[in-house]
Amino acid sequence: LLHGWYIASPDSNANTILILHDWNESKIQKLNLAKQMHDRGFNVCMVDLCAHGNSDGDVFSPGIGSIN
């Protein structure tokens, strides 16, 4: 289960930006970028990838995995 935040823009027609963190980081490291994008009028969605931050999992393997 991935955990994250959705920060809505006051403009209901705004586009949404998905912000992903780097390896061995979490969404916290991208708060400054999220604020900049939200201040420019975008919706912002941020998630912690598998086995990072608040998300579940013990292993992160980009591009390799199973679908349950």
Side-chain angles (χ1 to χ4, degrees):
L1 183 63
L2 300 181
H3 293 271
W5 300 323
Y6 180 78
I7 307 162
S9 168
D11 179 1
S12 62
N13 292 322
N15 291 317
T16 301
I17 292 181
L18 174 63
I19 298 176
L20 299 175
H21 60 78
D22 291 327
W23 189 283
N24 291 328
E25 290 187 348
S26 73
K27 61 187 177 298
I28 298 297
Q29 278 83 15
K30 302 299 180 186
L31 285 176
N32 187 42
L33 176 60
K35 181 180 182 333
Q36 291 176 39
M37 296 299 105
H38 186 260
D39 288 350
R40 287 176 171 80
F42 292 99
N43 298 309
V44 177
C45 181
M46 304 173 69
V47 297
D48 283 329
L49 298 175
C50 185
H52 289 78
N54 293 55
S55 290
D56 296 341
D58 297 322
V59 177
F60 176 74
S61 180
I64 301 172
S66 62
I67 298 174
N68 297 324

